[in-house]
Amino acid sequence: MMRAPQTITISGAGSCRTPALIGTLMQMKERFPVKKVIFFDKDMKRFAKIEDYCRLLLHTFSPETEVVVTDDMDEAYCACDFVFCQMRVGQNKMRSYDEKIPLKHGLVGQETCGPGGFAYGMRSIGGMKEMVDCVRKYSKDTWILNYTNPAAIVGLALDRLYPDDHRLINMCDQPYSMMVSFAKILNVNVKKLRARYFGLNHFGWFTELYDTDGHDYFGALRDYLKNHDFKPYNAEQRTQSWLDTYLRVNKMMNCISEYIPTTYLQYYFYADEIVKESDPHFTRADETVLTREKEVWDVCVQAKGKTELGNIQVLSSPVFGSMMVEVAESIAYDLNAEFIVMTRNTGLIDNFPAEAVVEVAGTLGKEGVRGIPYGKIKPFYKGLMENQYAYEELTCEAWMEKDYTKALQALALNRTVNDFDKAKAVLDDLMAVNQAYWTLEKRDEPCI
């Protein structure tokens, strides 16, 4: 049966992830056919580096697909079935501040966790609101698939701003990436793997792993990770900092091994160790420019002026791109495929606030997200999550109310900070460089 082709808008099209996303779309074009691809970015200079390559891939594998390139929001969002959103508000320049300013204060310098994640989240909320408002000006039916980081803060803010918008889906590929890595370790087909999982985005745990035939792999995987180095599925392509990130899963499991933690929990349990290992003058923002971005640009430049693909490499993404397309496919054709999803709690985790945006196993179809109830969580994990959720909630309220006090409370509460003096110092420095994106007002009330 032929599947109806879709019109998609790629928001943040200048990302170095876009070429691999297009490559993946072409590999999966029978599963998710596209009649029109709209590339939207506010910075056309950035997209210009990859435009020839993206056009050449589409011309080669799907010549019937219409291509539109624009920096006009109305043109981008006025008539599309899906928005694939991967925007980075402030680009790499602001990411560098997010990572280096906290390190100056002896705090974790990471783009989604701690003070850096706070600053990035405050920028992203505004950018996402602008996008959603524009899309909804034209259609309530367009599916918005948001992969913009930090997903926990952005997802919670969007749920507060658009509480009845069930076609606004927030997703993260890190659990998906870990599932791919698990499959490689276990030598099983990742498409058949299923997980039981609970947490907040970048703050969760796998508690069961099995396949569609009923085979239980969790015990074997847990034993493996207690006795072998955990490596990502593409370890040979990763930098040392990323390999170290996965190794700390082993370290966490040597302390508490009942569940398998997501990699990002390392920043909350080993903050001092990570700060000592970090170079305040060279962070992942710099590393990305010299590695992943350079590798992508080097491939894309080969397409300049070409009308045939020839020997030019077809980039693809077995994680980010594959998940993005599979999610859209599951929604468009009502497949109700299972993923680790973000959704409002409403009883999925019995003993956690109903209004929180949690991350659990769930399905995606024409009705949107359907989380699979998890049940109760134990006190240790509940305590950690309540602390983290309070930080996320205060961050969202700080943006919405432009409230300096709530921003300070959020950072002081964050497990990577836990110090009022450091929280105030890093907040003031981050606020100074983010004036074009967000502002806060100091009020007369006491800070607590």
Side-chain angles (χ1 to χ4, degrees), residues 39-55:
F39 294 97
F40 168 74
D41 204 295
K42 290 186 175 182
D43 184 356
M44 282 291 102
K45 290 181 181 178
R46 186 167 171 81
F47 182 69
K49 294 181 178 181
I50 61 176
E51 180 175 355
D52 287 347
Y53 180 81
C54 292
R55 285 184 179 274

Side-chain angles (χ1 to χ4, degrees), residues 352-409:
F352 202 68
E355 70 276 9
V357 172
V358 297
E359 203 168 52
V360 293
T363 60
L364 285 161
K366 66 179 182 180
E367 302 300 324
V369 177
R370 290 182 181 272
I372 297 172
Y374 185 87
K376 288 186 177 181
I377 55 176
K378 298 178 181 180
F380 174 70
Y381 307 97
K382 182 172 181 286
L384 287 169
M385 285 175 57
E386 285 177 339
N387 183 94
Q388 182 70 2
Y389 171 59
Y391 152 75
E392 293 170 2
E393 190 172 32
L394 284 164
T395 299
C396 294
E397 290 176 1
W399 183 87
M400 293 173 187
E401 300 168 24
K402 298 182 183 293
D403 192 322
Y404 179 91
T405 298
K406 288 191 173 181
L408 180 59
Q409 289 175 334

